[in-house]
Amino acid sequence: MDIAARRSANPDHWKLASAIRVLSMDAVEAANSGHPGMPMGMADVATVLFRNHLKFDAKAPNWFDRDRFILSAGHGSMLIYALLHLTGYEQMTLDQIRNFRQIDAITAGHPEYGHVEGVETTTGPLGQGIATSVGFAIAEEAMRAEYGEGLCDHRTWVIAGDGCLMEGISHEAIAMAGAQQLGRLIVLWDNNDITIDGRVSLSDKTDQHARFAAAGWRVLSCDGHDPADIDRALTEAANGDGRPTLVDCKTIIGFGAPNKADTNKAHGSPLGKDEIAATREAYGWTAEPFDIPAEIMSAWREIGTRGAAAHDEWRARVDALSTEHRDEFSRRITNGVNPKLDEAIAAFKATTRDEKPKVATRKASENVLAALNPNMPENFGGSADLTGSNNTKTGDMGVFSAEDRMGRYMHYGIREHGMAAAMNGIWLHGGFRPYGGTFLTFTDYARGSMRLSALMGLPVVYVMTHDSIGLGEDGPTHQPVEHLAICRATPNTLTFRPADQIETAEAWQIALSHDSAPSVLALSRQNLPLLRQDIDQNLTAKGAYVLREASDSPKVVLMASGSEVEIAVEARDALEADGIPTRVVSVPSMELFRAQPAAYREEVLPAGTVRIAIEAAVRQPWDWLLLGERGTEAKSAFIGMEGFGASGPAPALYKHFGITTEATVERAKALL
């Protein structure tokens, strides 16, 4: 690469792109940690994108109708931090750049949503950015169909690297985007042919052009260091033909570094002072570290204002709406809680109390959604090819497709990980509250994206049915035993396992009114009786509560969740018949119970009693309730699973594994 020729061919562009490169080199060097090569290689592409194509207003980072820019190759975080600083995002000061990767700085090692405005989603694990971007594009299409181009008319631009395209989730993402014909989604592939281990050819020979084309994408190419060619490709990409677009940007990692460019030495470690000095000389850059000459900074700041006029015009269109429509639009794009939610849940609970249905909680969930969805246009449902099993589609919901963007139900296909990532993107875009279903055991497949839901504090809802050995004949591969423990162990995640239709309704009420954590609804396949009669308050919100009181001061406390609460109630009745005062505590959400005041927890779980926990899963998450909270080893027991399940009818399995009323009564008497 003739650096001198590149410099002289387009000096204005060269200076702008060089500002990104030197800030990236300097920040990584100061931190003695980071990935300088990717920002150096993609600086030309990013400069053309922000200068000529991206619709944004640096003074209004959260403007709804902005283009979304997602750096899927999150290890190259200094690219986005440099762009935010140069274009004038208020939060991204030079001091933050200087403190790259340091504690309390907003310039984390990988871009973190919520740390700094301008970062649309957390992109640490490779592939997550491109997968989440599918959700952004889905939400944009759906909101544009509902509100019109005057209020929603933007694109989603993604920079992805070789690693993003190798990760399996990328296959799910590009297949979904192609099937849905998400024409506003444009992925810029940083095709530099380098991974941490070395050349891409060490581990991969995929023809990415053929791969994307086969999935229904349009594929374009450009020289990633020629601004005119980049502009041509991005212009063509923006003038879409209805298909999502991949732009192959051929780049050189560590561009301009004399000894480390085009090698893995520029990937994951600082360049070193001598290499940086030689690179600056090649760039013709004479300013001190972290110093951007005023002329260049001024040009970048002007780029940051390029979208201000479009923002003002959009604001005028919003202001022209009637007060009612403007307020509703504002609520939708900020993901505000629906004011009809509480009233609808109260009415549903009253009907449930009167009718006393005996239904599986997966069916109870469908019944709740049937009552809510017609009045909550923000609910956007879906399933990973298990609609009839997850019961996630209600009659009022059309199917979202390339032919019908007004549909609010998504057939995600057999793509649990991609579904979860897309739901994150739908929430982050604004306008919809996404929920999606699969079997609880397949949280294993969705785990990476579910963890990011929790990390980002996104209140998406995971409808996870077939929650125990109670699913029966499908056998141990489909019977979750450790998955409740995994969900409960994940920070900032609400895990609900309701015992009947009333608890299911209350779990949905919490999930759809929460604003900072995802919810997992673990729902049964087998029918369960209605156990609750008290509907005056949301007792599920307390996490655990007394469902059946003892006839006298309790000697035994039986704790259970979900389908095993019925066993606890039956055991309680048997023990009471034998003169043993027994209390039943339903535990639909351990996280919410842990958050209750100590006095309430002590009231529910008094000291000195026998305690038995019953759950068709592993014991681990119950130990804090059995041995902590004033419990003792000598007076506690767990009735549940110690290993994997088996294939057979649900009643036979419960008897085989000793999760029965009789076993509970026997254990209680033995402990007494």
Side-chain angles (χ1 to χ4, degrees):
M1 180 70 69
D2 188 340
I3 299 294
R6 295 282 182 172
R7 284 173 52 187
S8 60
N10 196 324
D12 290 341
H13 167 88
W14 180 266
K15 291 175 183 177
L16 293 172
S18 293
I20 296 173
R21 293 182 173 115
V22 296
L23 279 178
S24 300
M25 290 191 302
D26 291 344
V28 171
E29 190 69 20
N32 195 30
S33 175
H35 301 73
M38 181 273 179
M40 295 167 69
M42 281 298 281
D44 290 309
V45 174
T47 298
V48 174
L49 173 63
F50 274 67
R51 189 182 190 186
N52 299 343
H53 298 276
L54 192 74
K55 182 171 71 169
F56 74 106
D57 181 358
K59 299 302 181 185
N62 299 312
W63 165 33
F64 175 70
D65 204 31
R66 70 193 181 278
D67 283 356
R68 306 311 201 263
F69 171 63
I70 296 171
L71 181 63
S72 187
H75 55 279
S77 56
M78 267 310 304
L79 178 70
I80 191 169
Y81 298 152
L83 287 163
L84 296 179
H85 173 65
L86 292 167
T87 55
Y89 282 74
E90 183 178 359
Q91 293 180 351
M92 190 55 69
T93 64
L94 187 59
D95 281 343
Q96 293 291 349
I97 298 289
R98 289 179 183 273
N99 287 304
F100 176 58
R101 287 190 164 220
Q102 304 309 300
I103 194 166
D104 294 329
I106 61 177
T107 44
H110 293 81
E112 302 284 349
Y113 170 76
H115 285 211
V116 56
E117 292 175 328
V119 170
E120 303 284 3
T121 182
T122 296
T123 53
L126 291 176
Q128 278 291 337
I130 189 173
T132 305
S133 74
V134 174
F136 278 89
I138 289 169
E140 193 278 337
E141 293 280 0
M143 285 295 283
R144 179 156 38 87
E146 185 175 353
Y147 284 97
E149 291 189 355
L151 299 182
C152 184
D153 182 19
H154 52 264
R155 296 180 177 83
T156 302
W157 300 83
V158 183
I159 288 180
D162 293 303
C164 296
L165 302 190
M166 286 190 200
E167 287 287 357
I169 191 174
S170 72
H171 178 76
E172 299 184 20
I174 67 171
M176 280 194 294
Q180 291 294 335
Q181 293 292 277
L182 301 176
R184 301 293 185 95
L185 176 60
I186 303 170
V187 173
L188 311 178
W189 171 27
D190 176 21
N191 180 10
N192 62 37
D193 197 39
I194 294 292
T195 68
I196 288 177
D197 279 357
R199 310 302 295 186
V200 167
S201 57
L202 286 171
S203 57
D204 190 65
K205 59 183 297 185
T206 302
D207 182 338
Q208 296 292 354
H209 288 212
R211 177 191 180 205
F212 275 79
W217 287 58
R218 179 174 55 152
V219 179
L220 308 174
S221 298
C222 69
D223 177 343
H225 298 297
D226 180 344
D229 199 38
I230 296 166
D231 190 59
R232 172 201 56 78
L234 269 55
T235 299
E236 186 176 351
N239 295 327
D241 67 355
R243 293 176 292 173
T245 300
L246 174 74
V247 182
D248 176 350
C249 305
K250 193 70 186 81
T251 61
I252 297 174
I253 194 171
F255 180 74
N259 301 303
K260 296 186 177 181
D262 197 33
T263 73
N264 59 340
K265 294 179 181 178
H267 194 303
S269 59
L271 295 180
K273 292 182 179 180
D274 292 342
E275 186 76 359
I276 289 176
T279 306
R280 286 173 178 272
E281 183 177 352
Y283 291 167
W285 191 275
T286 59
E288 294 297 313
F290 297 106
D291 180 21
I292 305 299
E295 172 192 2
I296 298 174
M297 182 62 83
S298 177
W300 267 114
R301 292 296 160 89
E302 185 176 348
I303 291 170
T305 67
R306 193 170 54 80
H311 178 205
D312 289 342
E313 292 167 3
W314 177 85
R315 173 50 60 190
R317 292 191 293 272
V318 173
D319 290 342
L321 298 173
S322 67
T323 300
E324 179 182 357
H325 287 119
R326 185 171 60 249
D327 289 348
E328 175 63 5
F329 180 65
S330 177
R331 182 188 73 81
R332 288 287 299 278
I333 65 176
T334 57
N335 293 330
V337 176
N338 194 302
K340 298 178 182 178
L341 173 63
D342 291 346
E343 182 180 352
I345 291 292
F348 181 84
K349 287 166 64 177
T351 300
T352 297
R353 179 189 58 189
D354 295 341
E355 295 180 351
K356 298 179 175 56
K358 183 175 183 178
V359 294
T361 50
R362 62 170 176 161
K363 178 61 177 177
S365 173
E366 180 185 17
N367 293 340
V368 177
L369 290 171
L372 297 180
N373 283 344
N375 298 307
M376 296 183 67
E378 64 267 37
N379 288 356
F380 193 100
S383 173
D385 200 55
L386 289 167
T387 297
S389 296
N390 300 148
N391 298 79
T392 42
K393 186 177 185 295
T394 57
D396 63 297
M397 305 180 87
V399 174
F400 179 88
S401 67
E403 295 73 34
D404 182 10
R405 298 306 197 192
M406 289 295 290
R408 293 189 292 132
Y409 190 83
M410 179 81 172
H411 289 294
Y412 287 103
I414 307 151
R415 303 183 182 104
E416 292 86 358
H417 200 178
M419 175 182 73
M423 288 199 294
N424 287 340
I426 291 169
W427 172 271
L428 288 165
H429 176 274
F432 296 98
R433 282 183 172 262
Y435 68 86
T438 185
F439 288 180
L440 181 60
T441 192
F442 298 137
T443 55
D444 287 340
Y445 287 177
R447 171 68 182 157
S449 298
M450 292 177 71
R451 184 174 187 269
L452 287 188
S453 300
L455 184 62
M456 290 188 276
L458 308 183
V460 302
V461 184
Y462 295 97
V463 183
M464 300 303 189
T465 67
H466 297 62
D467 67 342
S468 73
I469 61 170
L471 67 89
E473 290 84 351
D474 275 343
T477 59
H478 284 53
Q479 293 168 6
V481 293
E482 74 274 33
H483 299 79
L484 285 168
I486 293 170
C487 291
R488 289 166 177 160
T490 303
N492 197 42
T493 297
L494 296 177
T495 303
F496 296 97
R497 190 165 185 250
D500 63 9
Q501 184 159 289
I502 286 180
E503 283 193 0
T504 304
E506 291 177 342
W508 270 111
Q509 183 179 22
I510 296 165
L512 292 175
S513 59
H514 211 281
D515 64 359
S516 58
S519 295
V520 177
L521 273 60
L523 306 173
S524 74
R525 178 179 184 268
Q526 66 270 43
N527 290 339
L528 304 176
L530 187 72
L531 299 173
R532 270 274 296 283
Q533 294 298 312
D534 178 7
I535 63 169
D536 291 339
Q537 58 179 318
N538 189 324
L539 294 176
T540 299
K542 294 183 176 297
Y545 62 93
V546 178
L547 176 68
R548 295 285 189 275
E549 188 52 281
S551 57
D552 202 344
S553 296
K555 292 185 178 180
V556 176
V557 174
L558 303 178
M559 303 178 291
S561 77
S563 48
E564 287 71 69
V565 177
E566 179 184 10
I567 294 174
V569 170
E570 291 175 352
R572 179 258 182 199
D573 292 345
L575 289 165
E576 285 279 355
D578 288 341
I580 302 172
T582 303
R583 170 184 290 182
V584 173
V585 174
S586 179
V587 189
S589 173
M590 290 186 179
E591 299 81 21
L592 292 178
F593 186 56
R594 193 186 293 272
Q596 298 304 308
Y600 174 77
R601 301 199 309 272
E602 185 172 357
E603 179 184 337
V604 173
L605 298 177
T609 67
V610 165
R611 288 187 195 174
I612 298 176
I614 314 166
E615 189 171 72
V618 297
R619 169 174 174 154
Q620 186 180 33
W622 287 94
D623 274 352
W624 75 279
L625 293 173
L626 290 170
L627 308 180
E629 298 293 322
R630 298 157 305 282
T632 64
E633 181 78 42
K635 287 191 172 185
S636 67
F638 177 74
I639 293 176
M641 299 296 293
E642 295 181 355
F644 295 109
S647 182
L653 289 172
Y654 272 80
K655 184 176 181 180
H656 175 76
F657 288 107
I659 308 174
T660 64
T661 299
E662 295 76 17
T664 304
V665 171
E666 180 181 348
R667 191 72 60 87
K669 289 180 176 179
L671 288 171
L672 285 169

